[in-house]
Amino acid sequence: MVQERGPDTVDINVNMGPQHPSTHGVFRMVLTIDGERVIDVEPHIGYMHRGAEKLSENMDYRAAIGYQDRTDYLAQFLTEQAYCMAVEKLLELEVPERSEYIRVILCELNRVTSHLMFLGAFGIDLGYFGTSFTYGFRERERLQDIFEEVTGERMMYGYFRPGGLAWDVPDNFVQMIRDVLPHTRQGLKDLDMLMTQNEIVAARTKGIGAMNLEDSINWGLSGPMLRAAGSDWDLRKDKPYSIYDRFDYDIPVGSHGDVFDRYLVRLEEAYQSLRIVEQALDQLPDGPIMPEKMPRRLRGPDAEVYAAVEGPRGEYGIYIVSKGGDKAYRLKIRAPSFCNLAALRDMTVGNYVADAVAILGSIDIVLCDVDR
Amino acid sequence: MIGIFKSMYITFATMLRKPVTIEYPAKHRDVPQRDRAFPILLWDKDVDEPFCTGCHACERACPVECMTVTMKDNPLHADGKSDRRKIVDEFWIDYGRCMRCNICVEVCNFEAIAMNNTWAGHELSTFDRNDLVLDLQQLLAQHKQGKIDEWVAE
């Protein structure tokens, strides 16, 4: 007897996370699957919520710097930069030249460490096991040593201050970085050779999770996610802050907006960051690191300010409402990971379960940044 | 196929490189001079008393409220041996709470507190979390014994 219809199938819910190695932290998604195809995704966030915004409202402008580090913990210097820029705007402080240069150097190196981390973890998501991860970490560690030499900490630097820097860099700062840069370039080349032309990687990433430019803009994506879709929006070029208008560098742009393009954009961005670092090292001036007329206690006027930096994950912004006094009345963090994660459902539905992992990896989320 | 051979080439080339890791519990790498572990108090060897006067500056500035300080009249000042009229009586720091932000060192007017920049400041695992609350004598011990070459930013 010929069966007129196939066997009855039921869609099943598969719970992924919160303790799952490929969710990059404590992130839970409930996948509804039909066979191997994902037909619905329900993301659950909030497992890492610590109330970083509220905590920052309860302490003065200097003490709150430590809490900004703990939001995006792979790009700590950039979070500090955004926060300090917001406070400087509020208090109308002028940052000395030398401090600006040191900030740019550290921020760009931090972008490279963040992207090395992404390249490593992305390899794991695609099934490279530990190879790409150890390559990424090996080079990241050299840069991390520089940060430790300068600030004393390995992760939560707390080094930038509203107005400048906490203390000056060591005397061998420039030489130290110049020694490390060839290693970092080589490390990026290793990862490039390991993954870019590999046919297995191509099969896993090309055309997966593609999002066109219009949808990307509508979802409010920023950073490499948006640039992979074809826009060249970069705050460093389009709304120049700090001293980024003095350097010569390119903004890599993708065309398909798929997982592979996001990987390529990040890889190229790391190279461009190294270019900025080299130029900044050549131009690094001498001078003070804090403005001369620095108030002993930072007191803001009645005002609202917003300052944003181009983080490795996208636009990282800080919005401060001040009602006088030495604390922020309201502090809001515009977290790029959170905004980029919003598009997860649109990208994942219709793909295989294994691709869901690759797509999530390509967003490059930091869960502390998502939940704050 | 070429891509896969390239990947294999990199993998095998890495196999021949020198290891970049060291076997940690057996060997310790050097920590930089600016290394920030946890705050400790400094000992004035000339007068034989702590630098700290118990002025509460660090306690007020601490973002996580991990410190408790009390102050007393300095007995050595009455004898004429010390310039400090007031001196620290009790000092507790909860290392379990401390977030190592260096702000206490920055606000100190007497350079009485510094960040521990040795390995002893990092390897602090205990079975009971109450053991991480250090009192005055424990905080002073390392500098008193001359084990710390402290670094304080100007």
Side-chain angles (χ1 to χ4, degrees), chain B residues 20-38:
Chain B
V20 289
T21 48
I22 54 169
E23 286 163 11
Y24 159 61
K27 286 184 203 149
H28 289 75
R29 75 186 182 94
D30 295 334
V31 286
Q33 201 198 6
R34 300 177 173 199
D35 187 51
R36 265 154 58 197
F38 285 100

Side-chain angles (χ1 to χ4, degrees), chain A residues 52-68 83 297 326-328 331, chain B residues 61-65 99 103:
Chain A
E53 292 173 2
K54 192 70 200 166
L55 282 168
S56 306
E57 287 161 17
N58 289 333
M59 51 193 60
D60 65 40
Y61 288 121
R62 179 171 54 181
I65 293 168
Y67 282 103
Q68 312 313 316
Y83 178 76
R297 203 153 178 83
D326 59 353
K327 295 179 179 111
L331 189 141
Chain B
C62 183
V64 289
E65 296 167 6
M99 71 178 203
I103 284 175

Side-chain angles (χ1 to χ4, degrees), chain A residues 145-183:
Chain A
D145 283 347
I146 292 177
F147 298 157
E148 194 184 8
E149 204 73 51
V150 172
T151 68
E153 274 279 5
R154 292 188 70 76
M155 268 193 91
M156 305 305 167
Y157 308 122
Y159 180 57
F160 295 177
R161 294 282 182 273
L165 303 168
W167 50 79
D168 210 341
V169 291
D171 297 335
N172 60 347
F173 177 67
V174 175
Q175 194 52 44
M176 214 157 49
I177 294 176
R178 281 195 207 281
D179 290 345
V180 166
L181 286 182
H183 289 288

Side-chain angles (χ1 to χ4, degrees), chain B residues 116-132:
Chain B
N116 193 342
N117 57 2
T118 61
W119 269 105
H122 287 286
E123 295 169 327
L124 289 163
S125 311
T126 56
F127 282 104
D128 186 356
R129 74 176 79 156
N130 290 328
D131 295 346
L132 289 173

Side-chain angles (χ1 to χ4, degrees), chain A residues 148 161 167 194 198-199, chain B residues 1 7 14 29 36 102 106:
Chain A
E148 194 184 8
R161 294 282 182 273
W167 50 79
L194 186 70
N198 194 317
E199 284 83 357
Chain B
M1 268 321 256
S7 302
T14 308
R29 75 186 182 94
R36 265 154 58 197
N102 204 50
E106 262 168 55

